[in-house]
């Protein structure tokens, strides 16, 4: 029950992931919590309940301190994976 209330709270407070794409040259990701991996060809981010994987060339991250993240470069592929919560991990054991 608490998990469901938490999800509703995130929706109401706009803490879910928002991604704005400008062609294949720029991404603006709202609510980016963490950059897990970062190179010129691959980035893995944590945003909301998702892992966001970005593949491309010449990738650079900007403005992380604003609560979001701007990524510029030649973006070739993006994929999303749901993050499991600690609560879900305990249920699987």
């Amino acid at each position: 029950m608490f998990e469901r209330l938490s999800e509703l709270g995130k929706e109401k407070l706009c803490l879910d992931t928002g991604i704005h794409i400008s062609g294949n040259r720029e991404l603006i990701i709202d609510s980016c919590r963490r950059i897990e991996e970062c190179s010129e060809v691959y980035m893995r981010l944590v945003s909301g309940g998702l892992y966001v994987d970005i593949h491309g060339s010449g990738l650079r991250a900007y403005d992380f301190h604003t609560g979001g993240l701007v990524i510029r470069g030649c973006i070739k592929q993006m994929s999303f994976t749901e993050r499991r919560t600690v609560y879900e991990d305990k249920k699987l054991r």
Side-chain angles (χ1 to χ4, degrees), residues 34-48:
R34 183 171 64 242
I35 300 171
E36 289 204 337
E37 290 187 46
C38 183
S39 73
E40 288 189 9
V41 295
Y42 174 72
M43 289 190 185
R44 182 175 180 99
L45 315 171
V46 176
S47 183

Side-chain angles (χ1 to χ4, degrees), residues 19-24 26-28 78:
I19 298 177
H20 310 277
I21 302 171
S22 297
N24 70 334
E26 182 177 74
L27 289 173
I28 300 171
M78 288 178 48

Side-chain angles (χ1 to χ4, degrees), residues 3 6 13-16 20 24 31 65 67 72 77 79-80:
E3 287 293 316
S6 176
L13 295 172
C14 300
L15 296 176
D16 279 337
H20 310 277
N24 70 334
S31 302
H65 65 279
R72 293 188 182 113
Q77 180 181 353
S79 63
F80 307 95

Side-chain angles (χ1 to χ4, degrees), residues 22-27 40 43 54-62 70-76:
S22 297
N24 70 334
R25 305 299 290 170
E26 182 177 74
L27 289 173
E40 288 189 9
M43 289 190 185
I54 303 159
H55 297 269
S57 60
L59 300 177
R60 301 251 177 186
Y62 299 91
V70 176
I71 296 174
R72 293 188 182 113
C74 182
I75 299 161
K76 296 179 182 174

